[in-house]
Amino acid sequence: MRILRGVQPAGVGCHEDKMLLADILIETLRLTRERATELRLQPDELRRVLDEGREAARAVAAETMARVRAGMGLWQTSIPVPTA
């Protein structure tokens, strides 16, 4: 689906493009909004999802920083990650 029809001054075409983009964004974000609403009603599940995401992010960050330190020739290639 093509949104941009070319560069043109604001007018009917521009308005139509914005409305089309808004419709696409609303539909694209619908599932995310529904999941967020579900999680707000289930604090324990929300905590579990956040904890899981935190651990996954920590693992990726630790690997990235180890590669950065090694690439820079720093002597320390790992730093203990504090737990929550």
Side-chain angles (χ1 to χ4, degrees):
M1 183 178 307
R2 187 176 173 117
I3 295 173
L4 182 64
R5 294 188 187 113
V7 178
Q8 61 182 352
V12 174
C14 182
H15 175 74
E16 290 170 351
D17 286 344
K18 289 178 183 176
M19 296 304 292
L20 177 59
L21 175 60
D23 290 343
I24 292 169
L25 288 173
I26 289 167
E27 182 56 30
T28 300
L29 297 174
R30 182 179 55 80
L31 292 176
T32 302
R33 290 172 50 104
E34 289 173 2
R35 180 68 173 141
T37 299
E38 290 173 11
L39 289 173
R40 279 188 209 101
L41 298 173
Q42 302 172 15
D44 292 338
E45 176 67 1
L46 175 58
R47 176 58 49 204
R48 186 194 67 74
V49 169
L50 290 173
D51 289 346
E52 189 176 287
R54 183 189 68 235
E55 292 306 316
R58 258 193 198 148
V60 171
E63 174 63 26
T64 299
M65 289 310 299
R67 291 174 54 203
V68 167
R69 289 183 189 98
M72 293 177 68
L74 299 176
W75 62 272
Q76 189 173 1
T77 59
S78 67
I79 295 176
V81 177
T83 57

